[in-house]
Amino acid sequence: MKKAGLTSVALLSALSIAIAGCSGSGDKEQPQQSVKPQESAKPQDSGSANGMKDGKYDPPITLTTVRAQQPTVKFANGDSIENNVWTRAYEKEYGIKLKTLWAVDPTQLEQKMNLTIASGDIPDFFQVNATQFKQLAEADLLADMTEAYNKHASEGVKKLMTEGGDMALKSATINGKLMAIPFTSPTKEGSQMVYIRTDWLKKLNLPEPKTMDDLLAISEAFTTKDPDGNGKNDTYGLAIDKDFGILIGFLNSYHAYWGINVKDASGNLTYSTIQPEMKNAFKKLQEMFKAGQIDPEFGAKNMTKVYESIANGKIGMFYNGPYAGLYPLQAAKDKDPSMEWKAFPLMSVDGKPAKSQVELGVGGYWVVKKGVKNPEAVLKMMDFWLKTFYDNKSDDIYKEFNTSPVDSNQVWLLNAVSAYKSFKNVDESLRIIEAFDTKDMSKLTPEDKGVYEKIQKFQTGDLSNWGWNLIFNKGGSMSVADQYRKNDLYINNEFITTPLPSMIEKGVALGKMEFETMTKIILGQSSIDEFDKYVEQWKKQGGDEIIKDINEWYKTTK
């Protein structure tokens, strides 16, 4: 039942928080595979009986794994997927030797992993998507990581796992046992905000918005008052794409949430898109479309086409994640240097705070085969990732383990175990702002320094770095994201497992009906009262069954 996602994903790699990871697996629904029972996968000895000396396994242990081999990584000086700066560090620091049974291009990973799982002959540890995790757990092929996590996860790793909330670990917990280590991702940091052309505000002598009424008045003015000064009626107040991916923030301002499962007044789960708040939001969108504030061709335009309209100076306002300064706005700025944009937090239609809807911040799961003697080794490698990728202040270590300054080789993708901070770029922005205020750069990481220098270049006239300033400097989009974090302005999708059979069977048809109904309402082809008919039909055609099944699942999590 998941619908259009946030648009920030395409930019995460540029900000060193790419969800590509070292395996490249996602969490989308996969075809069901038959899995051989546990007896076909005999536990293998992964090394000593956990003997440790000076923080290292003594004698060293050997763990097997499988993974994607990222094409952006270049090997030199005899290095390989099994022998590189990361694998050598694991052996030197912890006495952990890695043996990679296979490594494939990311495009082939899903099929190869499914075949491996179906055989029952799995490696000691590896990363899987949510469906594969469920299959492995049901086949009793996985180690219980509860004790290893409680005893051996560093405080840094535990903070990494929980800084986005407790739902990541909950999603990896089955019958009270932690059966995997989540590959966390920055979902909350990517929450949408509204971007407004401030040069048009100045031209029309309009103040920056503080309320939703202000925002709607700006949309009207951007449509009717010729903000580009060309004497034509050819500008639009609000951008919408055909998949509603950049409409999420607008809906959230009306306390309406698209395509997620939320708690109702009784504490049970219900489907967000059939709630009355959604009707209110689409009624307003219908009014805005009728008033010419929305591109009449939006129903045929994906986000790429919408971004072209933005670059061509036809749009005055759109919703997006905090990374929009790099794309699409830097391209728009390059085309028209007179453009100025600013990010603003979501504004509420009433006195209640507007909250951003967020999905489960997990891009996959690190699993350990049942019977492996040292499952805690995965947590030690996770701690090394945290110290080396996030906490490191040394330029030399950054060059060695992160990204080569010579050829931009993404060496960090060779890590064997990783996870991403929920607010990495928010924290980076705070450090950069402090450094500009105090002129003290001692707290900056090597990556921070790179962004700091880009902002400095912008401040001395280099417009090619304008987007970095829009994101990271004071009052930028990360400052808005920090405001969300400080005030916990999020609504979670409470459904955090793989799609249930009824969702798989009914979901596609219900989703199609949903998009068609909402699009027709905006276009004025259907009355707003058609929303009530949609809700009725949604329930009859499988929605009630899905909600019933979701609540049956929800009871098992309590």
Side-chain angles (χ1 to χ4, degrees), residues 132-198:
Q132 293 162 343
F133 169 47
K134 182 179 180 181
Q135 292 169 348
L136 289 162
E138 290 177 347
D140 195 26
L141 290 171
L142 299 182
D144 178 357
M145 295 295 291
T146 309
E147 182 178 0
Y149 182 82
N150 290 337
K151 288 186 176 180
H152 298 283
S154 68
E155 290 305 310
V157 168
K158 289 179 178 177
K159 181 179 179 182
L160 175 64
M161 291 292 113
T162 58
E163 70 173 359
D166 63 357
M167 297 185 78
L169 286 176
K170 280 185 177 180
S171 74
T173 301
I174 301 174
N175 296 327
K177 297 177 181 179
L178 183 66
M179 301 305 294
I181 305 301
F183 178 53
T184 51
S185 60
T187 304
K188 288 185 175 179
E189 181 181 85
S191 295
Q192 289 193 357
M193 51 199 67
V194 59
Y195 290 84
I196 301 177
R197 278 199 63 168
T198 52

Side-chain angles (χ1 to χ4, degrees), residues 72-107:
T72 54
V73 176
K74 311 177 190 73
F75 292 109
N77 303 321
D79 281 7
S80 66
I81 200 74
E82 283 196 317
N83 179 22
N84 55 70
V85 63
W86 283 87
T87 61
R88 291 190 291 270
Y90 298 140
E91 185 171 358
K92 179 181 178 181
E93 295 291 326
Y94 304 111
I96 300 173
K97 297 181 179 180
L98 297 184
K99 180 175 178 57
T100 303
L101 302 180
W102 55 256
V104 298
D105 186 274
T107 60

Side-chain angles (χ1 to χ4, degrees), residues 369-395:
K369 181 173 65 175
K370 188 175 184 178
V372 168
K373 287 188 176 180
N374 302 116
E376 75 286 342
V378 169
L379 295 163
K380 294 182 183 297
M381 289 187 285
M382 180 74 79
D383 190 53
F384 184 77
W385 157 263
L386 182 65
K387 293 175 180 176
T388 307
F389 188 76
Y390 284 118
D391 299 340
N392 166 59
K393 299 278 176 49
S394 164
D395 289 337

Side-chain angles (χ1 to χ4, degrees), residues 331-479:
K333 181 73 171 179
D334 292 342
K335 187 170 184 177
D336 180 3
S338 69
M339 277 190 185
E340 292 296 337
W341 292 85
K342 182 178 177 180
F344 296 86
L346 300 184
M347 292 155 213
S348 173
V349 71
D350 53 31
K352 296 187 299 182
K355 295 187 176 184
S356 297
Q357 67 178 77
V358 292
E359 295 286 351
L360 174 66
V362 174
Y365 297 89
W366 296 105
V367 295
V368 178
K369 181 173 65 175
K370 188 175 184 178
V372 168
K373 287 188 176 180
N374 302 116
E376 75 286 342
V378 169
L379 295 163
K380 294 182 183 297
M381 289 187 285
M382 180 74 79
D383 190 53
F384 184 77
W385 157 263
L386 182 65
K387 293 175 180 176
T388 307
F389 188 76
Y390 284 118
D391 299 340
N392 166 59
K393 299 278 176 49
S394 164
D395 289 337
D396 290 337
I397 291 176
Y398 180 82
K399 293 173 184 176
E400 186 178 10
F401 287 93
N402 196 319
T403 303
S404 168
V406 177
D407 56 5
S408 298
N409 190 7
Q410 294 179 308
V411 182
W412 61 277
L413 288 171
L414 290 171
N415 72 81
V417 181
S418 62
Y420 294 100
K421 286 189 172 184
S422 297
F423 297 99
K424 175 260 184 188
N425 289 293
V426 171
D427 290 335
E428 182 172 353
S429 173
L430 293 174
R431 292 191 297 270
I432 289 169
I433 290 169
E434 181 181 358
F436 273 110
D437 287 342
T438 63
K439 309 304 179 186
D440 177 7
M441 298 178 63
S442 62
K443 295 180 182 179
L444 301 185
T445 68
E447 184 178 324
D448 296 346
K449 293 174 186 175
V451 177
Y452 183 93
E453 290 169 1
K454 291 177 185 293
I455 295 174
Q456 280 187 317
K457 289 178 180 178
F458 162 72
Q459 292 176 338
T460 57
D462 181 0
L463 293 184
S464 68
N465 286 297
W466 171 86
W468 293 95
N469 184 73
L470 179 64
I471 295 171
F472 285 97
N473 210 347
K474 187 179 297 184
S477 59
M478 286 300 162
S479 296

